[in-house]
Amino acid sequence: MRVVIAGAGSVGRSIARELLVHGHQVTLVDRNPAAMRVASVAEAEWLLADACEPSTLAEVGTQDCDVVVAATGDDKVNLVVSLLAKTEFGVPRTVARVNNPKNEWMFDDAWGVDVPVSTPRIMTALVEEAVSIGDLVRIFRFHQSRASMHEVTLPADAPVVGKRVGELVWPPDVVLAAIIREDRPIAPSSDDTLEGGDELLLVVSAAAEDELTGLQRMLAPEQAPTSATGSDPTAEAP
């Protein structure tokens, strides 16, 4: 796979290293001479230029690449790069870094963004997931379908503890995708019995987002449902 990364800062370089380890071809583009730390990712191709310029994207062969990653620290730049990559060069997939969560609403198809990645939202979700028992936590949202993945760790006194999966009546458009028990993932069957401490992964359609309060009561009625809608990292599945 051929990938162009706009932004050769610490984020861009880290992405480049990971992609190179997996055998992909990577080009890093940045207009800041101080970012040209070629020796730090020597296997990548480098270009000192402004990725917001169509001529720059043409020079690095964007029209022939599989993915463009807009990883700069400037949301405006990331939006422009994504839009140019999608509309002018027909790149199949664009991934854009969201630096300010207030700007998340702009990172969509209208700006050529296939996958927005908001680091603050992701970190918030991971913190909540680590410390919250009984609270629904949104882990990420699938970009195209707008469905989302939620996680909940069942407290010992949850009303569903001791019941078989087949006995439970889930709200419409809510699917139990996996049970994680003592670090072991389980593909849920109707005969599996839920236990306290189980971590449930649920896929919720966009239409079912309004039913999360009812789902929260079903799983842990004593917990406040604030986390069900309080975090949205938009770390979308590719």
Side-chain angles (χ1 to χ4, degrees):
M1 184 170 66
R2 191 166 185 276
V3 183
V4 171
I5 301 175
S10 58
V11 173
R13 294 196 304 272
S14 295
I15 296 170
R17 292 190 194 97
E18 290 294 323
L19 290 172
L20 288 165
V21 167
H22 289 87
H24 302 298
Q25 182 180 351
V26 178
T27 301
L28 282 159
V29 182
D30 204 298
R31 65 181 181 182
N32 183 3
M36 294 289 104
R37 302 181 183 180
V38 179
S40 64
V41 194
E43 300 85 353
E45 298 178 4
W46 289 74
L47 179 64
L48 176 62
D50 187 351
C52 290
E53 294 291 340
S55 58
T56 297
L57 295 178
E59 184 177 349
V60 295
T62 301
Q63 66 276 6
D64 298 321
C65 78
D66 301 290
V67 182
V68 165
V69 180
T72 78
D74 188 325
D75 285 344
K76 297 188 294 297
V77 171
N78 292 342
L79 287 171
V80 171
V81 170
S82 298
L83 184 62
L84 288 174
K86 183 64 71 173
T87 60
E88 299 297 322
F89 296 91
V91 175
R93 195 164 188 80
T94 58
V95 179
R97 173 186 177 188
V98 184
N99 296 279
N100 187 342
K102 293 181 180 179
N103 296 330
E104 285 179 6
W105 64 275
M106 292 188 290
F107 284 73
D108 59 13
D109 294 339
W111 278 94
V113 177
D114 291 320
V115 182
V117 180
S118 174
T119 302
R121 294 294 188 190
I122 292 173
M123 293 182 70
T124 299
L126 292 174
V127 168
E128 289 183 336
E129 188 271 338
V131 302
S132 300
I133 296 179
D135 281 343
L136 278 170
V137 177
R138 182 185 294 135
I139 303 299
F140 63 83
R141 186 187 298 276
F142 297 94
H143 183 67
Q144 293 184 344
S145 67
R146 309 307 297 168
S148 54
M149 178 74 75
H150 291 255
E151 180 273 345
V152 62
T153 300
L154 296 178
D157 58 351
V160 296
V161 168
K163 293 185 177 181
R164 292 187 302 109
V165 171
E167 298 176 17
L168 303 176
V169 179
W170 300 98
D173 295 325
V174 174
V175 176
L176 176 62
I179 302 168
I180 301 176
R181 181 177 298 157
E182 296 179 355
D183 300 326
R184 183 170 63 93
I186 300 171
S189 70
S190 58
D191 293 327
D192 285 312
T193 301
L194 298 180
E195 300 178 3
D198 281 354
E199 183 178 357
L200 307 185
L201 298 181
L202 303 115
V203 179
V204 180
S205 74
E209 289 281 337
D210 293 337
E211 305 300 323
L212 290 179
T213 299
L215 181 61
Q216 175 72 65
R217 292 197 190 100
M218 171 184 172
L219 298 171
E222 299 302 318
Q223 297 290 330
T226 53
S227 292
T229 57
S231 62
D232 183 1
T234 61
E236 304 185 2

